[in-house]
Amino acid sequence: MRLIERYFLRQLLGPTLLATAALCLVTLLGRSLSELEIIVEQRQSALVFLKIILLAVPQLLNTVMPISVFVAALVALNRLHTEQEIVVCFASGMSRWRVISPAVRLASVAALLSLIIGLWLQPYTAREIRETSFQVRADIAATLVREGAFTEPSAGLTVYSRTIDRGGLIHDLFIHQTKQGGGDTTYSSREGRVGTRNGAPVLIMTNGSTQEFSNDGTLNFLRFDEYIFDLAPFVQSDELLHYKEADRYMHELFFPDLQQDWERKNKDRLLAEGHSRLAGPLYNIAFMAMALAAVLGSSFSRLGYGRRIARVGAAAAAVRLLGVGIQAACADSAYLNILHPHAHQGQEGRTRRLGSRMIGRLERYVLGRTLTAVAGALAVIGGMITLVEFVDISKNIGVRSDDAGFASLLYLTLLKAPATVLALGPFVFLFGTLFAFVGLNRRSELIAMRAAGVSAWRFILPAAAAALLIGVLTVTTLNPVTAWLTARYETASTEMMEGYLANTDKPSWLRQGDANTQIVIRAARRDRQDDSLHLRGVSLFVFTRGANGALEFSRRIEAEDARLVAGFWRLNNVREALPGAGSLSSESLSIPSTLDQQSANERFGAPGSVAFWRLPGAIGRTEQAGFSATAYRLRLQQLFATPLLFAAMSILAAAFSLRLMRLGGLAVLAGSGVALGFVIFFFNQLCEALGKSEVLFPFAAAWAPPVLALLAGFTLLCYTEDG
């Protein structure tokens, strides 16, 4: 390789590594949002969380590498061409192949690395994630009780507690156990504690009662001062670890053991996964060829290649989505593996004297450049998140639903992706502002401004104010839209997987009430009919507050189905019983309800699916029903802090971009700003996990990260500007 070819290779390698690292970190942070339940709900250590996140790197690397190669090639080749370095090479007699050979070599190395990851590293790390997740689910001591929520630590066992104090004492405990031979038993107690007896794990309950229907319809009721609930049968689970398609090595994909029932039923999906791993690395070469066609495929232009790059970028996105769609189709029609679309490799200042009036125009210019760069960062991050979500939904929902076609999966992706993009909004402002100010610095525009006596505060604060305003609009306008989209996604995905979920015996639980009465509602299944919540196989456990102020079990109601209408539950085919008495049957019964349609749906969804304007009401209703509202309070405070976080990220990015080009080290300083932004974002996620587990108060957990980012940006800006 000659000197000029090594120079071209270095110009391509740097942006490729930077783009790969940035996109991988962004997608990794997006994945960390969904894995926070390891700390919050499963009560595992931060080391387990980090292990799962880091083990996901190879799979994410395989996904983002072709995009990184494509983006980096466009940036590097466009710069080399517009600065006429490639034109000089052609004028000196270099052939087109010699000019593009460094890019082809780089794409080939990326393809080889991607192939190695897909053949060996990805299945190894995927198996480690599967085994770690299996061990976490098997840790019943950590997953048994979660404050203010119904948990199902084992099949047939549901546990609820109103509060858990620092010493581990559980208050207002509710346990529902379904027996294998049919029937169920319900336990309720004022207090409880997880402990051991004779070396076996037990749950010690005090001041409570048990309820169980006998064969003749009598509700057997027994009070106790202390009851020992044996947890050993639930700890010694016979559940087997099952590896999915992504967890298997190549010989297991192409030569499955057809004596196994699952392998025999899913041999087409295994074959599709194997072909995808072999064909996937070709995306690197295909996308590099498309980038070369965009920049070098036509005549030289002094006006740039924006239109050509946009067309080729759209074509690359279409090719990648088409590849994912064909892979999903191959799961049912193995012959389609030959149609994988990797054959489509060819696509196409001067300095002014500034008075007070001109400073306003200058600020508008800098603000315009910043907003343009932010819009570009939003497009890149949004496209990346959409692609990752599409792949994830295709693997998790597409293989479990018979109705999951390409259009349906794309529809689910468009419903889910905006919420993730909104959560990564701080990075949009970090990357966008950093790119804008580094560009101004490279073109010596910042030098001219500083030489004219313009303070850095004058052209940074408008960008920060714009970020603050966009943050306010995001919280008040976009958040309700994304919350509605998230709720629609949960409903649509549940409907699409109805056939799959029908084979899983996982009931739904609700709780409603006021100061004197609390009702626990269990439903074997739930759906929507005529825009109203419909429950099937319903059990209602009614608790009333006694003279001593404690909640005591008063009656139990069984119904074939229940529908939530204005202000009450309408039950059909009802059986009602008091403690120790026989049951009474009736065709219908109405029970007052403190829930409406939207608040009932909110109980089944995550706090992120509740719109900003409905959060205060959701907090009140949740606490009135006996649930913990910590997650909703934390979500509300995070939304209040979002505008400040956007502004802080903008100031931080601008402060790291002010170093003069002639002094050197601008790239290192800008990279340090990006690294600090990732640290702050991870600190934000850690504070969120600590807030949900009530280690930190919601206010502190929500406001600490943006205040820290803002102070860091102001500190560096003061040091740079004022010394």
Side-chain angles (χ1 to χ4, degrees), residues 176-189:
H176 184 83
Q177 181 184 8
T178 302
K179 299 179 180 179
Q180 294 182 352
D184 53 64
T185 304
T186 304
Y187 307 84
S188 60
S189 67

Side-chain angles (χ1 to χ4, degrees), residues 550-588:
L551 289 173
E552 297 180 354
F553 176 77
S554 60
R555 62 174 173 157
R556 177 169 172 176
I557 304 172
E558 301 282 332
E560 181 179 329
D561 67 330
R563 185 190 300 272
L564 180 61
V565 294
F568 59 90
W569 291 99
R570 180 178 295 167
L571 286 68
N572 297 316
N573 296 330
V574 182
R575 182 176 66 166
E576 181 179 3
L578 300 176
S583 58
L584 300 176
S585 300
S586 59
E587 292 185 1
S588 63

Side-chain angles (χ1 to χ4, degrees), residues 218-273:
T218 302
L219 181 61
N220 295 326
F221 180 79
L222 176 65
R223 295 185 184 274
F224 58 80
D225 294 328
E226 181 179 273
Y227 186 88
I228 306 300
F229 187 82
D230 187 15
L231 297 176
F234 305 99
V235 176
Q236 299 171 358
S237 174
D238 57 355
E239 181 183 357
L240 298 177
L241 177 63
H242 174 71
Y243 293 117
K244 295 184 178 180
E245 299 95 317
D247 310 336
R248 297 173 183 260
Y249 291 99
M250 295 301 293
H251 67 279
E252 297 173 318
L253 296 174
F254 285 108
F255 306 102
D257 184 4
L258 297 182
Q259 295 181 354
Q260 301 293 328
D261 184 62
W262 190 90
E263 280 79 357
R264 185 170 58 255
K265 291 181 179 179
N266 296 274
K267 60 181 181 180
D268 288 345
R269 292 177 179 172
L270 296 174
L271 185 62
E273 176 69 19

Side-chain angles (χ1 to χ4, degrees), residues 26 30 33 378-379 381-390 393 409-428 473-475 477-490 608-609 635 639 642 646 681:
V26 169
L33 297 177
L378 176 62
I381 293 178
M384 187 65 220
I385 292 299
T386 302
L387 177 60
V388 172
E389 293 287 7
F390 185 86
I393 290 174
L409 296 177
L410 184 60
Y411 172 68
L412 290 179
T413 302
L414 296 178
L415 291 177
K416 185 181 180 182
T420 306
V421 174
L422 206 63
L424 296 177
F427 281 99
V428 172
L473 294 176
T474 298
V475 171
T477 304
L478 296 182
N479 171 261
V481 175
T482 56
W484 181 83
L485 292 175
T486 301
R488 287 294 306 156
Y489 165 78
E490 294 176 354
S609 62
R635 177 62 178 168
L639 291 177
T642 294
F646 285 1
F681 186 85

Side-chain angles (χ1 to χ4, degrees), residues 424-676:
L424 296 177
F427 281 99
V428 172
F429 285 93
L430 177 69
F431 288 129
T433 306
L434 191 67
F435 183 81
F437 277 82
V438 168
L440 293 172
N441 205 340
R442 287 184 179 276
R443 291 188 295 271
S444 301
E445 292 177 276
L446 286 184
I447 298 176
M449 298 177 198
R450 304 294 292 278
V454 179
S455 170
W457 298 94
R458 297 293 299 272
F459 52 79
I460 289 179
L461 289 183
L468 187 71
L469 179 60
I470 294 175
V472 172
L473 294 176
T474 298
V475 171
T476 57
T477 304
L478 296 182
N479 171 261
V481 175
T482 56
W484 181 83
L485 292 175
T486 301
R488 287 294 306 156
Y489 165 78
E490 294 176 354
T491 302
S493 60
T494 301
E495 292 175 352
M496 191 174 296
M497 296 179 64
E498 185 175 3
Y500 174 80
L501 295 176
N503 299 323
T504 61
D505 186 19
K506 187 174 182 181
S508 301
W509 292 85
L510 279 171
R511 188 178 176 110
Q512 68 169 48
D514 51 29
N516 298 318
T517 304
Q518 295 287 320
I519 302 178
V520 177
I521 304 172
R522 176 188 184 273
R525 290 189 60 191
R526 64 181 171 91
D527 54 34
R528 296 190 64 82
Q529 291 185 0
D530 300 328
D531 291 331
S532 63
L533 182 62
H534 183 231
L535 306 179
R536 302 177 185 272
V538 183
S539 299
L540 285 81
F541 306 89
V542 183
F543 296 84
T544 56
R545 196 169 300 279
N548 57 359
L551 289 173
E552 297 180 354
F553 176 77
S554 60
R555 62 174 173 157
R556 177 169 172 176
I557 304 172
E558 301 282 332
E560 181 179 329
D561 67 330
R563 185 190 300 272
L564 180 61
V565 294
F568 59 90
W569 291 99
R570 180 178 295 167
L571 286 68
N572 297 316
N573 296 330
V574 182
R575 182 176 66 166
E576 181 179 3
L578 300 176
S583 58
L584 300 176
S585 300
S586 59
E587 292 185 1
S588 63
L589 180 66
S590 296
I591 298 292
S593 176
T594 57
L595 302 173
D596 57 22
Q597 296 294 336
Q598 190 162 358
S599 60
N601 290 328
E602 290 169 357
R603 301 289 173 85
F604 296 114
S609 62
V610 183
F612 170 74
W613 301 107
R614 291 187 57 85
L615 277 172
I619 292 173
R621 289 188 298 269
T622 301
E623 291 180 338
Q624 186 183 38
F627 289 99
S628 172
T630 300
Y632 292 106
R633 292 185 181 277
L634 177 61
R635 177 62 178 168
L636 182 61
Q637 293 296 329
Q638 285 180 322
L639 291 177
F640 281 140
T642 294
L644 183 63
L645 183 59
F646 285 1
M649 285 298 193
S650 296
I651 294 174
L652 194 65
F656 274 95
S657 309
L658 295 180
R659 184 180 178 86
L660 299 179
M661 282 290 297
R662 59 183 178 83
L663 298 179
L666 177 60
V668 175
L669 192 61
S672 302
V674 173
L676 182 58

Side-chain angles (χ1 to χ4, degrees), residues 294-307:
V295 179
L296 303 180
S298 185
S299 59
F300 175 77
S301 174
R302 296 181 179 273
L303 300 178
Y305 309 94
R307 292 185 179 180

